[in-house]
Amino acid sequence: AQKITQTQPGMFVQEKEAVTLDCTYDTSDQSYGLFWYKQPSSGEMIFLIYQGSYDEQNATEGRYSLNFQKARKSANLVISASQLGDSAMYFCAMREVYGQNFVFGPGTRLSALP
Amino acid sequence: ETGVTQTPRHLVMGMTNKKSLKCEQHLGHNAMYWYKQSAKKPLELMFVYNFKEQTENNSVPSRFSPECPNSSHLFLHLHTLQPEDSALYLCASSRGQGIGNTEAFFGQGTRLTVV
């Protein structure tokens, strides 16, 4: 069965600094996708970045990058040059390629400080 | 209008009421989902529909009844709810199975309070 673990319930980051949010996953499938979402206090889940299990390069999207270590089954999100607007809950999720379900981790609450 | 739209955004209902949540997507996706997000708990998958057919019912009580009349619309009918059903209900859609980026697009959610 799929499982996502996020061990950091809460994190603080100083404005303009970088921060890494941890995510480890468990699956027996070889083909899967990993996703990060941001959920501000408004409630909407905003897609940030995707990494496929066969992608050799780490994914990047603007200030977001994903540190993918397949052998360790980890997919950490790195946010560079943090902004106050980055304060939100961040969720790591996984989906097996031939499955339909997205499995989410418990989330990490990030607070950006001025 | 694009993306995934959920209505209403907020709902307060009594335990004997019947209400429905609506979700609409204009992305051409074939899979639609209902998730429940309670305080301090991970997102819980409730139902999945693929090409209008229900493919997953994650042991959800029968007081929640989904309906998917077409690939663009998804409803969640609520009946005789309990206070512990108070939560944020999120609808999502995705391209479905396959290789590549198939991220789920979420609506803004319906915050439900059962009194």
Side-chain angles (χ1 to χ4, degrees):
Chain A
Q2 306 169 68
K3 185 179 178 182
I4 299 285
T5 302
Q6 294 178 254
T7 58
Q8 306 153 313
M11 292 279 287
F12 290 95
V13 63
Q14 210 70 37
E15 204 176 5
K16 301 180 185 177
E17 298 290 312
V19 63
T20 298
L21 306 184
D22 294 342
C23 172
T24 57
Y25 60 91
D26 190 22
T27 179
S28 55
D29 268 31
Q30 296 300 312
S31 301
Y32 51 87
L34 296 157
F35 307 81
W36 276 92
Y37 286 85
K38 172 184 179 181
Q39 187 180 40
S41 56
S42 59
E44 184 179 4
M45 297 282 280
I46 302 167
F47 167 71
L48 296 178
I49 195 167
Y50 162 83
Q51 179 84 44
S53 58
Y54 290 113
D55 294 341
E56 295 186 351
Q57 302 283 340
N58 284 341
T60 60
E61 287 286 348
R63 294 188 298 112
Y64 304 107
S65 61
L66 202 152
N67 184 0
F68 180 46
Q69 298 186 48
K70 192 171 182 177
R72 296 181 59 189
K73 293 189 174 178
S74 75
N76 298 339
L77 177 70
V78 180
I79 305 174
S80 62
S82 295
Q83 303 170 356
L84 296 180
D86 293 334
S87 295
M89 284 290 290
Y90 288 81
F91 293 93
C92 180
M94 177 174 66
R95 178 186 186 177
E96 292 164 351
V97 167
Y98 296 104
Q100 292 175 320
N101 302 346
F102 291 82
V103 176
F104 285 80
T108 295
R109 180 170 297 282
L110 179 66
S111 299
L113 305 175
Chain B
E1 195 172 332
T2 59
V4 181
T5 304
Q6 286 186 247
T7 53
R9 293 289 311 279
H10 300 272
L11 179 62
V12 178
M13 60 184 289
M15 288 190 282
T16 58
N17 290 160
K18 289 183 182 180
K19 295 286 185 184
S20 296
L21 310 185
K22 180 182 177 182
C23 177
E24 188 172 359
Q25 58 98 358
H26 300 279
L27 300 167
H29 291 162
N30 51 272
M32 295 189 77
Y33 310 77
W34 279 117
Y35 282 89
K36 175 184 178 182
Q37 188 178 28
S38 305
K40 300 182 181 179
K41 291 175 85 172
L43 270 76
E44 300 172 63
L45 178 68
M46 299 176 73
F47 303 103
V48 182
Y49 278 81
N50 194 33
F51 291 106
K52 302 188 299 178
E53 298 297 320
Q54 184 176 309
T55 57
E56 184 91 18
N57 176 338
N58 202 23
S59 302
V60 180
S62 60
R63 57 186 184 268
F64 295 92
S65 174
E67 178 189 2
C68 188
N70 54 60
S71 292
S72 299
H73 294 83
L74 185 64
F75 296 89
L76 188 62
H77 303 301
L78 314 172
H79 174 52
T80 321
L81 294 191
Q82 305 297 313
E84 60 265 29
D85 297 323
S86 298
L88 180 67
Y89 289 84
L90 289 161
C91 173
S93 70
S94 76
R95 185 158 53 86
Q97 298 177 347
I99 297 173
N101 192 350
T102 57
E103 80 266 25
F105 289 80
F106 283 82
Q108 292 183 300
T110 296
R111 190 161 296 280
L112 173 67
T113 304
V114 181
V115 297

Coordinates of all heavy atoms in Angstrom, one line a residue, chain A residues 35 37 39 42-45 47 50 91 95 97-106, chain B residues 33 35 37 45 48 50 55-56 88 94 96-104 106 108:
Chain A
F35 N 4.1 14.5 -6.1 CA 3.5 15.9 -6.2 C 3.6 16.6 -4.9 O 3.6 16.1 -3.8 CB 2.0 15.8 -6.5 CG 1.7 14.9 -7.7 CD1 1.6 13.6 -7.6 CD2 1.4 15.5 -9.0 CE1 1.3 12.8 -8.7 CE2 1.1 14.7 -10.1 CZ 1.0 13.3 -9.9
Y37 N 1.8 20.1 -3.0 CA 0.8 21.0 -3.0 C 0.9 22.0 -1.9 O 1.4 21.7 -0.8 CB -0.6 20.3 -2.9 CG -1.1 19.6 -4.1 CD1 -0.6 18.3 -4.4 CD2 -1.9 20.2 -5.0 CE1 -1.1 17.6 -5.5 CE2 -2.3 19.5 -6.2 CZ -1.9 18.2 -6.4 OH -2.3 17.6 -7.5
Q39 N -1.3 24.7 0.5 CA -2.7 25.0 0.9 C -2.6 26.2 1.9 O -2.4 26.1 3.0 CB -3.4 23.8 1.6 CG -4.8 24.1 1.9 CD -5.5 22.9 2.6 OE1 -4.9 22.3 3.5 NE2 -6.7 22.6 2.2
S42 N -6.9 29.9 2.9 CA -8.2 29.9 2.2 C -8.7 28.5 1.9 O -9.9 28.4 1.6 CB -8.0 30.7 0.9 OG -7.0 30.1 0.1
G43 N -7.9 27.5 2.0 CA -8.3 26.2 1.8 C -8.0 25.5 0.5 O -7.9 24.3 0.4
E44 N -7.8 26.3 -0.6 CA -7.5 25.7 -1.9 C -6.2 25.0 -1.9 O -5.2 25.5 -1.4 CB -7.6 26.8 -3.0 CG -7.4 26.4 -4.4 CD -7.5 27.5 -5.4 OE1 -7.6 28.7 -4.9 OE2 -7.4 27.2 -6.6
M45 N -6.2 23.9 -2.6 CA -4.9 23.1 -2.8 C -4.3 23.6 -4.1 O -4.9 23.4 -5.2 CB -5.2 21.6 -2.8 CG -5.8 21.1 -1.5 SD -4.5 20.9 -0.3 CE -3.8 19.3 -0.8
F47 N -1.3 23.2 -6.8 CA -0.2 22.3 -7.3 C 1.1 23.1 -7.5 O 1.0 24.2 -8.1 CB -0.7 21.7 -8.6 CG 0.5 21.0 -9.4 CD1 1.0 19.8 -8.9 CD2 1.0 21.6 -10.5 CE1 2.1 19.2 -9.6 CE2 2.0 21.0 -11.2 CZ 2.6 19.8 -10.7
Y50 N 5.9 18.5 -9.8 CA 5.8 17.1 -10.1 C 7.1 16.5 -10.4 O 7.9 17.1 -11.1 CB 4.8 16.9 -11.3 CG 4.9 15.6 -11.9 CD1 4.1 14.5 -11.4 CD2 5.6 15.3 -13.1 CE1 4.2 13.2 -11.9 CE2 5.7 14.1 -13.6 CZ 4.9 13.0 -13.1 OH 5.0 11.8 -13.7
F91 N 1.7 19.9 1.3 CA 1.5 18.5 1.3 C 2.2 17.8 0.2 O 2.3 18.2 -0.9 CB 0.0 18.2 1.1 CG -0.9 18.7 2.2 CD1 -1.5 19.9 2.2 CD2 -1.2 17.8 3.3 CE1 -2.3 20.3 3.2 CE2 -2.0 18.2 4.3 CZ -2.6 19.5 4.3
R95 N 1.1 9.2 -6.6 CA 0.1 8.5 -7.3 C 0.8 7.5 -8.2 O 1.8 7.8 -8.9 CB -0.7 9.5 -8.2 CG -1.7 8.8 -9.1 CD -2.3 9.7 -10.1 NE -3.4 9.1 -10.8 CZ -4.1 9.8 -11.7 NH1 -3.9 11.0 -12.0 NH2 -5.1 9.2 -12.3
V97 N 1.2 5.2 -11.4 CA 0.9 5.5 -12.7 C -0.4 4.8 -13.2 O -1.2 5.4 -13.9 CB 2.1 5.1 -13.7 CG1 1.7 5.2 -15.1 CG2 3.3 6.1 -13.4
Y98 N -0.5 3.6 -12.8 CA -1.7 2.9 -13.3 C -2.8 2.8 -12.2 O -3.7 2.0 -12.2 CB -1.4 1.5 -13.8 CG -0.5 1.7 -15.1 CD1 0.9 1.4 -15.0 CD2 -1.0 2.1 -16.3 CE1 1.7 1.6 -16.1 CE2 -0.2 2.3 -17.4 CZ 1.1 2.0 -17.3 OH 1.9 2.2 -18.4
G99 N -2.7 3.7 -11.2 CA -3.7 3.8 -10.2 C -4.4 5.2 -10.4 O -4.1 6.0 -11.3
Q100 N -5.4 5.4 -9.6 CA -6.2 6.7 -9.8 C -6.1 7.5 -8.5 O -6.3 8.7 -8.5 CB -7.6 6.4 -10.0 CG -7.9 5.8 -11.4 CD -9.3 5.4 -11.6 OE1 -10.0 4.9 -10.7 NE2 -9.9 5.6 -12.8
N101 N -5.7 6.9 -7.4 CA -5.8 7.6 -6.2 C -4.5 8.4 -5.9 O -3.4 7.9 -6.1 CB -6.0 6.6 -5.0 CG -7.2 5.8 -5.2 OD1 -8.0 6.1 -6.0 ND2 -7.3 4.7 -4.4
F102 N -4.7 9.6 -5.4 CA -3.6 10.4 -4.9 C -3.6 10.2 -3.3 O -4.6 10.4 -2.7 CB -3.9 11.9 -5.1 CG -3.7 12.2 -6.6 CD1 -4.8 12.1 -7.5 CD2 -2.6 12.8 -7.1 CE1 -4.7 12.4 -8.8 CE2 -2.5 13.1 -8.4 CZ -3.5 12.9 -9.3
V103 N -2.5 9.8 -2.8 CA -2.3 9.6 -1.4 C -1.5 10.7 -0.9 O -0.4 11.1 -1.4 CB -1.6 8.2 -1.1 CG1 -1.3 8.1 0.4 CG2 -2.4 7.1 -1.6
F104 N -2.0 11.4 0.2 CA -1.4 12.6 0.7 C -0.7 12.3 2.1 O -1.2 11.4 2.8 CB -2.4 13.7 0.9 CG -2.8 14.3 -0.4 CD1 -3.8 13.7 -1.2 CD2 -2.3 15.5 -0.8 CE1 -4.2 14.3 -2.4 CE2 -2.7 16.1 -2.0 CZ -3.6 15.5 -2.8
G105 N 0.4 13.0 2.3 CA 1.0 13.0 3.6 C 0.2 13.9 4.6 O -0.7 14.6 4.2
P106 N 0.6 14.0 5.9 CA -0.1 14.8 6.9 C 0.2 16.3 6.7 O -0.5 17.1 7.4 CB 0.5 14.2 8.2 CG 1.8 13.7 7.8 CD 1.7 13.1 6.4
Chain B
Y33 N -12.7 13.4 -8.0 CA -12.5 12.9 -6.6 C -13.2 13.8 -5.6 O -13.3 15.0 -5.7 CB -11.0 13.0 -6.3 CG -10.1 12.4 -7.3 CD1 -9.7 13.0 -8.4 CD2 -9.5 11.1 -7.0 CE1 -8.9 12.5 -9.4 CE2 -8.6 10.6 -8.0 CZ -8.3 11.3 -9.1 OH -7.4 10.7 -10.0
Y35 N -12.5 14.5 -1.5 CA -11.6 14.3 -0.4 C -12.3 15.0 0.8 O -12.9 16.0 0.7 CB -10.3 14.9 -0.6 CG -9.3 14.1 -1.4 CD1 -9.3 14.2 -2.8 CD2 -8.5 13.2 -0.9 CE1 -8.4 13.5 -3.6 CE2 -7.6 12.4 -1.6 CZ -7.6 12.6 -3.0 OH -6.7 11.9 -3.8
Q37 N -11.2 16.7 4.5 CA -10.0 17.2 5.3 C -10.5 17.7 6.6 O -11.1 18.8 6.7 CB -9.3 18.3 4.5 CG -8.0 18.7 5.2 CD -7.2 19.8 4.5 OE1 -7.8 20.6 3.8 NE2 -5.9 19.8 4.6
L45 N -9.3 10.3 1.1 CA -10.0 10.0 -0.1 C -11.4 9.4 0.2 O -11.5 8.5 1.0 CB -9.2 9.1 -1.0 CG -9.9 8.7 -2.3 CD1 -10.0 9.9 -3.2 CD2 -9.1 7.5 -3.0
V48 N -13.9 8.1 -5.9 CA -13.2 8.4 -7.2 C -14.2 8.0 -8.3 O -14.8 6.9 -8.2 CB -11.9 7.6 -7.3 CG1 -11.3 8.0 -8.7 CG2 -11.0 7.9 -6.2
N50 N -14.2 7.6 -12.6 CA -13.5 7.7 -13.8 C -14.4 7.4 -14.9 O -15.1 6.4 -15.0 CB -12.4 6.6 -13.8 CG -11.3 6.8 -14.8 OD1 -11.0 7.9 -15.2 ND2 -10.8 5.7 -15.4
T55 N -15.2 4.2 -9.1 CA -14.1 3.2 -9.1 C -13.5 3.1 -7.7 O -12.8 2.1 -7.4 CB -13.0 3.6 -10.0 OG1 -12.5 4.9 -9.7 CG2 -13.4 3.6 -11.5
E56 N -13.9 3.9 -6.8 CA -13.4 3.8 -5.4 C -14.4 4.4 -4.4 O -15.0 5.5 -4.6 CB -12.1 4.6 -5.3 CG -11.4 4.5 -3.9 CD -10.4 3.4 -3.9 OE1 -10.0 2.9 -4.9 OE2 -10.0 3.0 -2.7
L88 N -13.6 20.3 5.8 CA -13.4 20.9 4.5 C -13.5 19.7 3.5 O -12.8 18.8 3.6 CB -12.1 21.6 4.4 CG -11.8 22.3 3.0 CD1 -12.8 23.5 2.8 CD2 -10.4 22.7 3.0
S94 N -8.6 15.0 -12.5 CA -7.2 14.8 -13.1 C -7.5 14.1 -14.4 O -8.6 13.7 -14.7 CB -6.4 13.9 -12.2 OG -6.8 12.6 -12.2
G96 N -6.5 11.3 -15.3 CA -6.7 9.9 -15.1 C -5.4 9.2 -15.2 O -4.3 9.7 -14.9
Q97 N -5.4 7.9 -15.5 CA -4.3 7.1 -15.5 C -3.3 7.5 -16.6 O -3.7 8.1 -17.6 CB -4.6 5.6 -15.7 CG -5.5 5.1 -14.6 CD -6.0 3.7 -14.9 OE1 -5.8 3.2 -16.0 NE2 -6.5 3.0 -13.9
G98 N -2.0 7.1 -16.4 CA -1.1 7.3 -17.4 C 0.2 7.8 -17.0 O 0.4 8.3 -15.8
I99 N 1.2 7.8 -17.8 CA 2.5 8.2 -17.5 C 2.6 9.8 -17.7 O 1.9 10.3 -18.6 CB 3.5 7.6 -18.5 CG1 3.5 6.0 -18.2 CG2 4.9 8.1 -18.3 CD1 4.3 5.3 -19.2
G100 N 3.4 10.4 -16.9 CA 3.5 11.8 -17.1 C 2.8 12.6 -16.0 O 2.2 12.0 -15.1
N101 N 2.9 13.9 -16.1 CA 2.3 14.7 -15.1 C 0.8 14.7 -15.1 O 0.2 15.2 -16.0 CB 2.8 16.1 -15.2 CG 2.5 17.0 -14.0 OD1 1.7 16.6 -13.1 ND2 3.0 18.2 -14.0
T102 N 0.2 14.0 -14.1 CA -1.3 13.9 -14.1 C -1.8 14.5 -12.8 O -2.6 13.9 -12.1 CB -1.7 12.4 -14.2 OG1 -1.1 11.7 -13.1 CG2 -1.3 11.9 -15.5
E103 N -1.3 15.7 -12.5 CA -1.6 16.3 -11.2 C -3.1 16.5 -11.0 O -3.8 16.6 -12.0 CB -0.9 17.6 -11.0 CG -1.5 18.8 -11.6 CD -0.9 19.1 -13.0 OE1 -0.3 18.1 -13.6 OE2 -0.9 20.2 -13.4
A104 N -3.6 16.4 -9.8 CA -5.0 16.7 -9.5 C -5.1 18.2 -9.4 O -4.3 18.9 -8.7 CB -5.4 16.0 -8.2
F106 N -7.6 21.0 -7.8 CA -8.6 21.1 -6.7 C -9.4 22.3 -6.8 O -9.0 23.4 -7.2 CB -7.8 21.1 -5.3 CG -7.3 19.8 -4.9 CD1 -6.1 19.3 -5.4 CD2 -8.1 19.0 -4.0 CE1 -5.6 18.1 -5.0 CE2 -7.6 17.7 -3.6 CZ -6.4 17.3 -4.1
Q108 N -11.8 25.0 -4.5 CA -11.5 25.8 -3.3 C -12.1 25.2 -2.0 O -11.9 25.6 -0.9 CB -12.0 27.2 -3.4 CG -11.2 28.0 -4.5 CD -11.6 29.4 -4.6 OE1 -12.8 29.7 -4.9 NE2 -10.7 30.3 -4.3

